Amino acid sequence: MGYLRRASNSFSIPKLRSLSAINRVNPVESRLSWTQFGWNHHAFCSHSRQNSKDNANSIDLSQFPTEKIRNFSIIAHVDHGKSTLADRLLELTGTIKRGHGQPQYLDKLQVERERGITVKAQTATMFYDHKFQGANDIDVQEPRRFLLNLIDTPGHVDFSYEVSRSLAACQGALLVVDAAQGVQAQTVANFYLAFESNLTIIPVINKIDQPTADPDRVKAQLKSMFDLDPNDALLTSAKTGQGLEHVLPAVIERMPPPPGNCNSPLRMLLLDSYYDEYKGVICHVAVVDGTLRKGDKISSAATGQSYEVLDVGIMHPELTPTGVLLTGQVGYVVSGMRSTKEARVGDTLHQSRTIVEPLPGFKPVKHMVFSGVYPVDGSDFEALNHAIERLTCNDASVSVTKESSTALGLGFRCGFLGLLHMDVFHQRLEQEYGAHVISTVPTVPYIFEYSDGRYVGPVITLCSERRGEQLEYTFIDSQRVCMKYRLPLREIVVDFYNELKSITSGYASFDYEDSEYQASDLVKLDLLLNGQPIDAMAAIVHTLKAQRLGRDLVEKLKKFIDRQMFEITIQAAIGSKVVARETVSAMRKNVLAKCYGGDVTRKRKLLEKQKEGKKRMKRVGSVDIPQEAFHELLKVS
Ligand SMILES: Nc1nc2c(ncn2[C@@H]2O[C@H](COP(=O)(O)OP(=O)(O)OP(=O)(O)O)[C@@H](O)[C@H]2O)c(=O)[nH]1
C-alpha cells in the first residue's frame, strides 16, 4: 500500500499541538450547557427542494441567532466519499428529494460530473430539528431547529485553495476517511488546513460497508497521526445510510456556533463568486458581524466601490431569496458587480459610509505551474479574453497576464495550482465557453512527497532519477510509509504522477507544496526552425539533461513538419551552441522535365537556378507548425 505526502515544514509529522483539547473545546458550552446532553435526535424535514422555490422570501432567518447556526465543511482525500455524504445529509434534512436522480448533487459543473471529482466548493443551507437529551432518558427537551451550512470541498491537492477559503466560513469540519484506504495524503493536508484554522474536527470513518473496511486500523491512524480520540470517530456508510443519523447531532453538539456580533456594523467575507449572464456577478458571502438587507448600500474594502444590494438569500440548495442575511449566516448577494476585478475573493464588504476593520482575508495563492494559453485561431483572441474573464470570476486561484509569442500570436500566461487544475481550466474554457486553445509547456517550481510499503524501491529510484533529495522517511503503520522529498518542479510537472501511479499499481498518493528556490545548473534550450527560435517551445532544463532532451525534441518536431519546396532545419541550441539537429529535406521539382536531350550546360544552369531559388525560399519561407506539435512536445519536455 502506498502513501505519499507533502514536503512541508509546516505539515511535517508529528505535529500534535493538543489536538484533543481543541476537539473538546466548545466556546459556547457554558452558555448552552451542551455537555450535559447525550445523543438523541430526530431529523425533521423542514424545507424540501420543491418548497425552497415556493417559499422564496418565506424563510424567516430571524429565527436563527448565531447559537442556532452551525457552519461546517466536509474535507477528505479524493474519493473518500465527501460528495456522497453531502448528498445523504441534504436528503436527510429534506433539502433535496431522496433519489433525486443526480448523484453528487453539489458537483454541478460538467467537468466535475465527467471526471467524478469535486472542483468547486459548494455551500448548501439545511434546516434540522434536533433534540438534546440529558443523562437519563426522561430529560429530553423539545426539538430546536438549527440552520446548518454545509460546504462540500474538493479532495484533490490542486484545489486546496478552495478548501482553505471554505474553511474561513466554518467553525468545524467533518474529516471523512475511507474505512478501507485509511489516512491518505489529502487527509493529512486537509486535516492541517482545518487544524490551523482552529476548527473543531469530527472524524468520520466512511464506507464501512466495504468488505475490506477496517475501522479499527483507521482509528489507530487517526490517533497516531492527529491525536484524534478514537471514541470521537463516527462510523458511516454514505452508500447504505448506516450511521448517518449520528452525523448532524454531532455537528450541532460538538461544533461551536459562529462567533460574530449581531450588534456590530456589517462585515462580510467574500468567499467566492461566479458570473451570471442576467444578474451579473453573484457573490457567496459569510456574514461575520451585523445584518445585511436587500436595498442596503454596501462597499468593498478592497476597491472602495459602492453597490446596492439587489438580491440576497441562501443556497437551499439553489439560490433562495430571503431578503436578509444575519450574523453567522452564509449566503449569496447580487449587487450589480459587472466584472471579476470588482468581486475579489477574500474582500470585506460593509455598509457604505461605515468604517470597519477589514477581515483578514485569505493567504495569497501560490501558483505552481505556469503555461501559455493561446487561441487556436488568432482572430479569437477577444473571445478568449472574454471567456477567461468570466471563468476566473469562478476560479480565483488562476492568475492571468497577457503575453504574445511570435509563433502563436496574442495569448495569456496563466498560473495554476497544478496540472489537474490547468487541465480542468482548459476543459471548462472549452465546455462552458466554447473556447479552443493551445497551451504551451508548463513551467515553474514544485515540491512534494509520498510513501509506500512494497513499492518503496521503485519510488526511490524514480525520485533519484528526477534529481530528488530525500528529506524524511516515516512509517505510518506496518504497511505504509510516508516519504518526503525535495524535487525540482520541472522534474515532476509533466508525467511524474502517472509514472508514480504506474510503478505502485496505483497505491501511492502524493501531495506537494512549494519550497524555496535553489541554485541549480540550468540552461535555456531553444528550438530553432531554419535558424529562427520558436519562443513558445523554449525550455529551461538541467545542463545534464539538455543534450538528450534537445535530441528528443528535434526528432519529435520533425515528425510534425510537412516537407516543403525548400529544406527545413530543426535545431536545438544552448545559446549559440547547437546540441541537436534534424533536416526535413525539400521536395524537388523536376526542372529538367522539358529538356529533351539538350546540352549539358543548359541543364546545369537550370539546376543552379533552382538551387538559388530554394536558398531564397529558405530565407523567406515560413514553416507551419501544427498545434498537435505543441501538445506532443509538451510530453517530451
Ligand atoms: N461502498 C461505498 N462506496 C461509497 C461510499 N461513499 C461513497 N462511495 C463511493 O465512492 C466514490 C467516491 O465518492 P465521492 O462522494 O464522489 O467522493 P469525494 O470524496 O467527494 O471525491 P472528490 O470530490 O473527487 O474528492 C463514489 O463512487 C461513491 O459512490 C460508501 O459509504 N460506501
Side-chain angles (χ1 to χ4, degrees):
M1 301 285 274
Y3 176 70
L4 176 88
R5 70 170 278 275
R6 73 175 60 186
S8 149
N9 294 335
S10 59
F11 284 2
S12 59
I13 297 173
K15 183 175 180 182
L16 308 174
R17 289 180 286 161
S18 313
L19 296 176
S20 308
I22 284 184
N23 267 317
R24 284 177 191 77
V25 168
N26 183 335
V28 293
E29 258 170 15
S30 52
R31 187 149 39 109
L32 298 176
S33 307
W34 290 347
T35 43
Q36 62 183 292
F37 300 116
W39 298 94
N40 193 10
H41 41 73
H42 289 281
F44 291 81
C45 301
S46 51
H47 298 271
S48 71
R49 187 178 171 202
Q50 194 66 46
N51 287 343
S52 69
K53 241 189 173 162
D54 308 340
N55 287 352
N57 280 320
S58 68
I59 296 173
D60 178 10
L61 291 186
S62 65
Q63 291 173 38
F64 301 100
T66 52
E67 59 267 24
K68 287 192 173 178
I69 299 174
R70 298 291 180 278
N71 297 326
F72 69 101
S73 211
I74 308 187
I75 54 175
H77 186 76
V78 181
D79 276 353
H80 281 198
K82 292 178 303 295
S83 305
T84 312
L85 179 65
D87 271 9
R88 293 294 92 78
L89 297 180
L90 291 172
E91 287 174 2
L92 190 82
T93 52
T95 314
I96 57 174
K97 280 190 182 143
R98 212 173 283 270
H100 48 83
Q102 188 175 297
Q104 280 90 26
Y105 183 91
L106 294 175
D107 287 348
K108 294 180 177 168
L109 302 175
Q110 192 180 342
V111 60
E112 291 179 317
R113 299 196 161 274
E114 281 176 13
R115 291 175 182 242
I117 55 166
T118 306
V119 163
K120 282 296 298 172
Q122 293 290 349
T123 308
T125 300
M126 311 181 287
F127 297 94
Y128 184 74
D129 291 349
H130 177 63
K131 274 187 192 171
F132 289 99
Q133 189 188 25
N136 64 53
D137 278 354
I138 307 156
D139 187 17
V140 178
Q141 304 207 342
E142 279 307 298
R144 292 195 221 160
R145 176 157 293 188
F146 282 79
L147 184 157
L148 309 174
N149 283 309
L150 175 160
I151 306 185
D152 181 26
T153 59
H156 194 281
V157 58
D158 281 15
F159 307 104
S160 54
Y161 189 59
E162 285 288 319
V163 182
S164 57
R165 281 192 295 123
S166 309
L167 296 186
C170 297
Q171 288 70 49
L174 296 176
L175 179 70
V176 177
V177 186
D178 185 315
Q181 287 191 15
V183 171
Q184 294 282 320
Q186 281 309 112
T187 320
V188 180
N190 288 328
F191 168 81
Y192 281 113
L193 281 180
F195 175 59
E196 282 162 5
S197 307
N198 283 326
L199 302 193
T200 300
I201 297 162
I202 301 178
V204 178
I205 302 176
N206 189 36
K207 305 200 188 182
I208 53 167
D209 59 292
Q210 294 181 108
T212 49
D214 187 353
D216 288 338
R217 188 173 59 94
V218 180
K219 282 184 186 175
Q221 290 178 353
L222 291 170
K223 174 73 185 155
S224 73
M225 298 192 69
F226 309 134
D227 199 20
L228 290 172
D229 187 339
N231 297 323
D232 287 347
L234 305 177
L235 301 187
T236 64
S237 165
K239 187 175 175 183
T240 65
Q242 199 183 341
L244 292 182
E245 69 279 12
H246 298 304
V247 176
L248 293 180
V251 165
I252 291 169
E253 295 185 3
R254 296 197 219 168
M255 290 181 188
N261 185 345
C262 55
N263 297 318
S264 297
L266 172 75
R267 284 198 303 171
M268 49 185 184
L269 185 62
L270 205 164
L271 296 171
D272 199 0
S273 62
Y274 65 94
Y275 192 84
D276 179 277
E277 282 303 329
Y278 302 103
K279 298 185 170 181
V281 177
I282 297 181
C283 297
H284 289 180
V285 294
V287 178
V288 175
D289 293 317
T291 305
L292 174 77
R293 289 178 204 286
K294 184 174 173 176
D296 279 356
K297 295 268 184 308
I298 55 167
S299 297
S300 147
T303 64
Q305 252 174 293
S306 297
Y307 307 91
E308 181 180 340
V309 176
L310 305 172
D311 186 13
V312 55
I314 55 176
M315 284 77 84
H316 183 49
E318 306 301 333
L319 300 189
T320 306
T322 54
V324 66
L325 276 180
L326 305 173
T327 307
Q329 293 170 354
V330 176
Y332 74 91
V333 178
V334 179
S335 60
M337 287 184 185
R338 285 275 136 206
S339 84
T340 50
K341 288 181 193 83
E342 294 174 75
R344 295 189 187 187
V345 166
D347 191 6
T348 303
L349 299 172
H350 57 90
Q351 300 283 5
S352 300
R353 293 188 297 278
T354 309
I355 297 167
V356 295
E357 177 80 9
L359 297 158
F362 305 122
K363 265 205 276 184
V365 195
K366 242 183 181 169
H367 299 106
M368 309 294 268
V369 177
F370 286 82
S371 151
V373 176
Y374 293 85
V376 169
D377 181 343
S379 62
D380 289 341
F381 174 77
E382 272 313 320
L384 180 60
N385 190 9
H386 184 75
I388 288 181
E389 260 265 308
R390 295 282 182 267
L391 186 50
T392 47
C393 181
N394 192 224
D395 186 352
S397 53
V398 181
S399 74
V400 182
T401 45
K402 286 186 184 154
E403 73 169 8
S404 73
S405 145
T406 38
L408 299 170
L410 277 179
F412 303 87
R413 173 140 281 286
C414 300
F416 303 99
L417 301 179
L419 283 183
L420 177 62
H421 183 210
M422 184 177 93
D423 231 29
V424 163
F425 185 83
H426 291 158
Q427 193 175 336
R428 289 188 71 187
L429 266 182
E430 195 162 325
Q431 286 178 339
E432 295 171 31
Y433 300 93
H436 297 286
V437 299
I438 295 175
S439 64
T440 61
V441 182
T443 53
V444 180
Y446 256 69
I447 289 245
F448 78 149
E449 64 160 281
Y450 28 121
S451 82
D452 150 330
R454 283 175 303 182
Y455 301 102
V456 161
V459 172
I460 291 177
T461 313
L462 175 68
C463 291
S464 325
E465 281 169 359
R466 305 290 181 119
R467 299 193 286 123
E469 176 199 342
Q470 195 176 75
L471 302 178
E472 203 178 297
Y473 188 101
T474 336
F475 282 96
I476 295 173
D477 56 30
S478 61
Q479 288 191 306
R480 289 155 200 259
V481 71
C482 168
M483 286 190 269
K484 242 190 215 184
Y485 269 85
R486 179 175 291 126
L487 282 133
L489 177 62
R490 165 143 200 104
E491 295 294 335
I492 61 162
V493 80
V494 178
D495 60 351
F496 181 85
Y497 187 61
N498 289 346
E499 206 166 318
L500 179 72
K501 279 284 177 197
S502 103
I503 60 171
T504 61
S505 313
Y507 282 121
S509 57
F510 91 94
D511 189 14
Y512 55 80
E513 70 174 14
D514 63 326
S515 178
E516 69 282 10
Y517 283 91
Q518 298 225 330
S520 187
D521 198 0
L522 303 174
V523 287
K524 182 176 174 222
L525 184 68
D526 283 313
L527 268 190
L528 297 95
L529 267 188
N530 284 346
Q532 297 291 321
I534 319 166
D535 54 0
M537 287 186 177
I540 305 288
V541 298
H542 195 268
T543 318
L544 293 178
K545 295 196 168 181
Q547 188 145 10
R548 186 189 51 75
L549 193 65
R551 260 198 316 272
D552 291 351
L553 284 171
V554 293
E555 271 170 26
K556 194 121 198 185
L557 186 55
K558 184 179 176 185
K559 294 189 190 138
F560 285 95
I561 300 212
D562 294 334
R563 288 174 73 193
Q564 317 262 334
M565 293 304 292
F566 51 90
E567 184 182 280
I568 301 166
T569 54
I570 308 168
Q571 293 166 311
I574 300 167
S576 58
K577 185 178 161 208
V578 174
V579 293
R581 177 192 163 107
E582 284 286 341
T583 309
V584 181
S585 57
M587 287 188 283
R588 186 164 177 229
K589 188 178 164 196
N590 188 1
V591 287
L592 307 179
K594 290 181 188 160
C595 295
Y596 306 108
D599 79 338
V600 180
T601 342
R602 173 158 165 67
K603 283 184 181 169
R604 197 175 297 131
K605 263 193 189 157
L606 280 170
L607 286 171
E608 284 299 320
K609 204 170 145 196
Q610 185 189 35
K611 207 166 149 194
E612 266 307 300
K614 281 188 180 176
K615 262 195 207 157
R616 226 177 21 252
M617 282 174 78
K618 186 170 152 184
R619 265 201 315 274
V620 296
S622 63
V623 181
D624 286 336
I625 309 170
Q627 52 161 298
E628 313 90 75
F630 286 91
H631 290 299
E632 285 304 312
L633 261 59
L634 185 153
K635 291 176 194 158
V636 177
S637 60

